[in-house]
Amino acid sequence: MQQSRARLFKEYKEVQREKVADPDIQLVCDDTNIFKWTALIKGPSETPYEGGVFQLAFAVPEPYPLQPPQVRFLTKIFHPNVHFKTGEICLDILKNAWSPAWTLQSVCRAIIALMAHPEPDSPLNCDSGNLLRSGDVRGFNSMARMYTRLAAMPKKG
Amino acid sequence: MISDSITNASATAAPSAKDFGKKKRTNRSAKLKQSKLGLRREQWLSQVAMANKGDKEEIDSNRKPRSENPDQRDRPVENLDGLSREAEDNSGTHHHESFIESLSNSPNSILSGMNSIPNFSSSSSSGSGGSCSGNITEEEDPDDDGCLDDWEAIADALAADDDKHEKENPPESCEEHASIKQSASPRASVSGSNVAIRDVKPAMSRKQKSNQAWRPDDKLRPQGLPNLEKQRSFPVMNLHYSSVAVPSSCPICYEDLDLTDSNFLPCPCGFRLCLFCHKTICDGDGRCPGCRKPYERNTIKVEASVQGCGLTIRLARSSSMFCRS
């Protein structure tokens, strides 16, 4: 408990310091609970998510960093590894491949990388996965772009 | 006062002449003293002439003691006390001291006279404080001349190394030479050495920079990301990195690593963490946060006792594990 709190405080300081260094990630801690974080990440360029801003919710467990934080998308996103309704993310480093050396910031980076490189073989969004597995990249891209415009762009969302 | 003590030793001429000239001004005794003094002065002058045989290129401003000598020889008796007064004015400086010294040494052998001259030049130049002007050094003795030739040869070869420079040439001879030679080559050599130093520094910093992709304090460095293991798999690099890239804080709990922690290398991947976090992880799943491979407890003990041995063992094991997976 105490250890995870101390570590999260340190991470918070780190985030404040690094704010300028990584403009794609904006990590914000909850005002009252340091175990609740939200992040705003920009959709990577040259993907259908480009131009969108996606909100992530972090729930940090007590044994953190020995256990990974629970992360989910609050913004709707059409992605094979993100559950369309719950926003749950299927990412190995958030499951068995977690390492205590990762930080919330590095998790955000990993999620951005996952958005740029979807893994259709372990889909949470079967429709999206099937589009990619059948080779319909164009269909997938148009669907993802549409949802990005609908949900992740400030004006139209 | 220096002049008194010295003149008491051998040449009592000057003070006595002073007394006589002031009180009585009897020409006779003064003439006697003058003749004695003149005799000694001539002897001394001949010695100096022999000693300075080779030095024809001396600068006028250097000539102080010797330019006095002809005046002294031609001086009338009543000027003697003027001379002594002047001597008193100058007393306390090395200049006068060595002058009287050499005067008193004059009846002795030539060797002693010659010995007094290098002392003279060195002491006077050190007394006047070293700058590059020509009037620092008063005399050029034969020893310095030899050095000068040597120095010139070096300067001509444009291989003026600073160490060599200082070893072979006493500082005053360098300065003298600088003034004679319009100080072109020594400055060139000095600036050359500066350039060399400046060249060395960036090379060193470049060397340090090239050791690692990110510096430990680099903001962009993904701290504790598992991509370190690739670089650390080389034995030599491993040692090198372990000395350079020791993190200042534990990447798990972000607390500062103390000396024990920073010497603690529990995994062949080179991932470091504090002992506390290591124990917590070993109580749990027991996998290294850096490479996600299980910690091997035997290895840690071996590594703690004999580091070099442990290193090879760990490398062997990690490679075998790599083959299995």
Side-chain angles (χ1 to χ4, degrees):
Chain A
M1 168 74 180
Q2 207 56 44
Q3 190 197 353
S4 59
R5 192 180 286 273
R7 150 115 183 197
L8 284 169
F9 270 121
K10 296 269 171 59
E11 278 195 47
Y12 180 74
K13 280 186 200 162
E14 195 91 348
V15 163
Q16 298 303 111
R17 220 178 52 201
E18 273 185 33
K19 226 169 213 172
V20 191
D22 203 339
D24 293 342
I25 300 170
Q26 194 180 341
L27 253 175
V28 187
C29 177
D30 193 288
D31 287 337
T32 55
N33 189 354
I34 201 167
F35 293 98
K36 301 280 179 202
W37 293 62
T38 49
L40 292 173
I41 57 174
K42 286 183 186 168
S45 56
E46 296 173 25
T47 66
Y49 311 108
E50 184 175 3
V53 177
F54 299 85
Q55 195 174 7
L56 299 170
F58 285 77
V60 183
E62 204 87 327
Y64 179 83
L66 298 178
Q67 281 182 17
Q70 296 165 351
V71 192
R72 62 187 192 92
F73 271 93
L74 291 181
T75 310
K76 250 192 200 347
I77 179 170
F78 187 77
H79 188 282
N81 305 113
V82 181
H83 197 284
F84 191 71
K85 292 213 168 110
T86 64
E88 185 195 340
I89 302 168
C90 178
L91 184 57
D92 58 346
I93 66 146
L94 295 176
K95 305 268 164 34
N96 54 353
W98 168 254
S99 155
W102 290 82
T103 63
L104 300 183
Q105 184 94 10
S106 56
V107 167
C108 289
R109 286 201 200 99
I111 290 172
I112 291 176
L114 179 73
M115 288 163 80
H117 302 282
E119 197 63 63
D121 288 331
S122 56
L124 272 176
N125 185 335
C126 291
D127 293 338
S128 163
N130 286 336
L131 277 174
L132 276 180
R133 275 201 280 190
S134 63
D136 191 359
V137 178
R138 197 176 159 193
F140 166 79
N141 281 347
S142 72
M143 283 287 281
R145 201 177 299 118
M146 186 192 78
Y147 278 107
T148 302
R149 281 192 188 153
L150 279 179
M153 300 232 181
K155 272 190 180 177
K156 300 190 179 179
Chain B
M1 204 170 266
I2 301 170
S3 64
D4 288 344
S5 62
I6 291 171
T7 47
N8 282 343
S10 62
T12 55
S16 58
K18 182 180 166 185
D19 291 339
F20 277 119
K22 270 185 180 174
K23 288 173 183 174
K24 294 183 178 178
R25 290 205 178 261
T26 48
N27 284 339
R28 203 183 165 207
S29 58
K31 267 181 184 168
L32 195 74
K33 293 293 175 187
Q34 192 207 7
S35 62
K36 278 185 182 174
L37 204 66
L39 193 71
R40 288 185 177 177
R41 206 181 287 132
E42 276 175 4
Q43 282 178 345
W44 179 73
L45 278 173
S46 65
Q47 282 177 13
V48 170
M50 284 180 69
N52 289 329
K53 254 190 300 188
D55 322 331
K56 298 303 173 194
E57 43 176 276
E58 294 151 355
I59 305 167
D60 287 344
S61 58
N62 294 349
R63 265 321 57 70
K64 239 187 180 176
R66 231 169 292 158
S67 63
E68 276 177 5
N69 295 335
D71 298 344
Q72 285 163 16
R73 194 194 287 160
D74 298 337
R75 258 178 204 163
V77 186
E78 55 267 12
N79 275 354
L80 254 182
D81 67 358
L83 165 68
S84 59
R85 222 182 293 130
E86 181 187 318
E88 275 183 2
D89 290 340
N90 285 337
S91 71
T93 65
H94 301 284
H95 184 276
H96 174 66
E97 178 191 1
S98 49
F99 175 68
I100 298 293
E101 230 172 78
S102 53
L103 201 70
S104 63
N105 280 338
S106 57
N108 300 334
S109 68
I110 297 174
L111 205 75
S112 67
M114 280 176 68
N115 278 343
S116 72
I117 292 167
N119 289 338
F120 178 79
S121 65
S122 65
S123 63
S124 64
S125 67
S126 67
S128 60
S131 69
C132 271
S133 57
N135 53 9
I136 304 162
T137 51
E138 315 259 334
E139 301 250 351
E140 289 176 329
D141 50 14
D143 294 346
D144 272 353
D145 269 349
C147 290
L148 263 179
D149 290 338
D150 202 358
W151 201 93
E152 275 174 358
I154 294 169
D156 287 344
L158 286 175
D161 191 2
D162 265 354
D163 291 343
K164 217 174 175 184
H165 186 82
E166 285 180 8
K167 252 184 233 166
E168 293 186 6
N169 304 307
E172 64 265 22
S173 73
C174 302
E175 286 159 2
E176 201 172 355
H177 183 70
S179 64
I180 290 169
K181 283 274 183 179
Q182 304 290 329
S183 75
S185 51
R187 273 184 203 159
S189 72
V190 167
S191 63
S193 67
N194 280 345
V195 165
I197 288 167
R198 244 181 282 126
D199 281 347
V200 166
K201 277 180 184 170
M204 282 174 64
S205 57
R206 238 179 282 131
K207 204 177 171 187
Q208 286 174 347
K209 272 180 189 170
S210 66
N211 284 341
Q212 51 201 15
W214 292 283
R215 274 172 294 168
D217 55 342
D218 201 325
K219 282 178 180 176
L220 297 174
R221 182 174 184 268
Q223 189 176 19
L225 283 182
N227 57 359
L228 289 172
E229 57 187 326
K230 226 184 268 176
Q231 298 154 337
R232 289 174 192 252
S233 60
F234 302 103
V236 181
M237 295 289 278
N238 195 353
L239 281 175
H240 195 67
Y241 268 79
S242 62
S243 66
V244 170
V246 178
S248 61
S249 62
C250 170
I252 310 304
C253 63
Y254 280 26
E255 299 292 336
D256 289 343
L257 292 179
D258 63 16
L259 190 63
T260 316
D261 293 332
S262 52
N263 287 327
F264 179 53
L265 191 59
C267 184
C269 76
F271 187 86
R272 291 171 184 277
L273 72 173
C274 70
L275 289 163
F276 186 79
C277 290
H278 179 254
K279 186 186 180 303
T280 318
I281 288 170
C282 284
D283 289 346
D285 63 352
R287 292 183 306 167
C288 169
C291 59
R292 299 197 191 90
K293 285 171 188 158
Y295 280 127
E296 299 205 18
R297 312 207 171 200
N298 317 340
T299 316
I300 295 159
K301 280 172 194 166
V302 171
E303 207 253 338
S305 56
V306 187
Q307 186 139 13
C309 183
L311 192 73
T312 54
I313 289 171
R314 281 186 290 114
L315 280 171
R317 280 185 186 166
S318 63
S319 60
S320 68
M321 280 174 64
F322 185 72
C323 292
R324 251 187 285 140
S325 64

